[in-house]
Amino acid sequence: MKIIKSITCALVLLITLTSCGKKTDEQIITNNVKSFAKALYSGDFKKAAKYCTKDAAESIIMIEGLITEDMLKDMKKTNPSVEIIEISIDELSLTARVKCIIKGAYDLNSKTGISPDEIPTSFILYKEEKKWLIN
């Protein structure tokens, strides 16, 4: 009887530990979008590009070349936050659409730099080689 209880406890523990270690697609997408947006809106373009498809990464690096040093200094002073509103995953086409709100971001259209408003944004992600990347 003790052996059966021991085996049962061991199996329950194994199943619990196995299920806790793996992140869902939604968790990975959330993490990638938040990391990308925080990097992008605070002027860390190289870090932001790591979360992108090849084409999107090239665009991000091109944007970096258009930002003045003063703008970049101001961007680095910000601490943007990202609130995920909705994630829609299409398993067939391996795409995801994420609607979110960026707060406390640098606003390129503002004289003061930091946007007092929330910036509603959406991102499209593609799953490439088991990675969810912003496009």
Side-chain angles (χ1 to χ4, degrees), residues 69-129:
E69 283 190 38
D70 287 339
M71 290 170 141
L72 188 58
K73 285 179 188 176
D74 288 341
M75 289 176 86
K76 290 187 181 287
K77 292 177 189 174
T78 65
N79 186 22
S81 63
V82 182
E83 179 185 343
I84 303 293
I85 304 300
E86 180 184 346
I87 298 175
S88 303
I89 300 173
D90 184 340
E91 297 291 338
L92 240 87
S93 64
L94 299 176
T95 60
R97 181 179 182 86
V98 179
K99 293 180 182 178
C100 58
I101 295 175
I102 313 293
K103 299 176 185 176
Y106 184 84
D107 184 359
L108 295 171
N109 298 317
S110 168
K111 291 182 181 180
T112 61
I114 296 184
S115 173
D117 300 320
E118 299 174 340
I119 304 168
T121 308
S122 61
F123 297 104
I124 303 293
L125 290 84
Y126 291 132
K127 192 169 190 178
E128 294 181 357
E129 298 176 18

Side-chain angles (χ1 to χ4, degrees), residues 19-104:
S19 65
C20 290
K22 188 171 179 157
K23 290 186 176 180
T24 66
D25 279 342
E26 191 167 315
Q27 290 170 321
I28 294 167
I29 290 166
T30 297
N31 181 59
N32 288 1
V33 166
K34 285 184 175 187
S35 297
F36 167 77
K38 286 180 181 181
L40 179 68
Y41 286 100
S42 61
D44 192 345
F45 297 101
K46 286 178 180 50
K47 182 176 180 182
K50 291 179 183 179
Y51 295 96
C52 296
T53 62
K54 183 181 176 191
D55 289 342
E58 289 172 0
S59 296
I60 296 297
I61 299 304
M62 187 177 73
I63 290 170
E64 181 180 24
L66 301 173
I67 302 295
T68 67
E69 283 190 38
D70 287 339
M71 290 170 141
L72 188 58
K73 285 179 188 176
D74 288 341
M75 289 176 86
K76 290 187 181 287
K77 292 177 189 174
T78 65
N79 186 22
S81 63
V82 182
E83 179 185 343
I84 303 293
I85 304 300
E86 180 184 346
I87 298 175
S88 303
I89 300 173
D90 184 340
E91 297 291 338
L92 240 87
S93 64
L94 299 176
T95 60
R97 181 179 182 86
V98 179
K99 293 180 182 178
C100 58
I101 295 175
I102 313 293
K103 299 176 185 176

